[in-house]
Amino acid sequence: MKYPKALNTLISNLQKLPGVGKKTAERYCFDLISWSPEDTESFAYHLSVLKKKISSCKTCNALMDMEDEKSCKYCDPDKRDPKHLCILSSQKDLFSIEGTHMYLGMYHILDGLLSPSDNFSPKDLHLEALKSRIERLGIQEIILALDSTLEGDATSLFLKKELEGKNVRISRLALGMPIGSSLDFIDEGTLSKALSERTLF
């Protein structure tokens, strides 16, 4: 199908989004064409400045507003419990945990799970930085809040083995999360129960 060149380019870019195939990308494009010039320009502007307005905390890797770059609210020992560290695989998962209002400890975001197909290996976990942080904060409990998938299980087992000598309690979210599920798709009620009933791992 021969669409105008600009439309084909946009369709190709939209297909880079997870879960967006060619037909969905085409539907999005034709909907965008119907937007007013003001709405299109506003959308394009906010998309263009997205990476200029947010950054990642150099300590925990959580997303934060660029203007707050010197102060991550998730690393503030006056507002968070520095004895508990919740390990996550993605920055989005932090907001899922925060939505339960049940956890007030620190976070450590890996930015991926062990997966040969994705070229994500143990060196990408930056274990030395994690171990150093555990010692520096005097962490008493590590909560492995990783996806209940093959990659998530493999990463949890690897981390458990690497951190066992740190004299800390290592726990994992309780069952109740469907096998093969990502935190991204778990409702807050189920996630709250899994967090409160976490077990030793």
Side-chain angles (χ1 to χ4, degrees), residues 9-68:
T9 301
L10 185 55
I11 288 171
S12 296
N13 278 285
L14 287 172
Q15 284 183 264
K16 295 177 182 178
L17 293 169
V20 177
K22 192 171 190 296
K23 290 295 183 184
T24 301
E26 289 173 349
R27 192 166 65 249
Y28 287 165
C29 281
F30 280 99
D31 190 70
L32 285 166
I33 289 172
S34 70
W35 288 16
S36 69
E38 293 78 17
D39 285 342
T40 305
E41 288 173 12
S42 175
F43 179 74
Y45 169 75
H46 288 295
L47 192 60
S48 69
V49 300
L50 181 63
K51 287 201 167 185
K52 297 175 184 176
K53 288 187 173 288
I54 60 172
S55 63
S56 299
C57 172
K58 290 179 174 58
T59 301
C60 72
N61 199 26
L63 290 178
M64 55 192 289
D65 289 316
M66 192 67 82
E67 55 261 32
D68 299 330

Side-chain angles (χ1 to χ4, degrees), residues 115-152:
S115 172
S117 61
D118 293 328
N119 292 317
F120 195 94
S121 64
K123 68 178 177 57
D124 297 307
L125 294 175
H126 304 293
L127 281 175
E128 291 311 311
L130 174 58
K131 291 176 180 178
S132 174
R133 193 169 177 219
I134 290 170
E135 292 176 1
R136 186 173 69 254
L137 291 174
I139 296 294
Q140 295 176 357
E141 180 185 15
I142 293 171
I143 303 169
L144 297 173
L146 304 179
D147 296 344
S148 184
T149 60
L150 185 62
E151 294 81 6

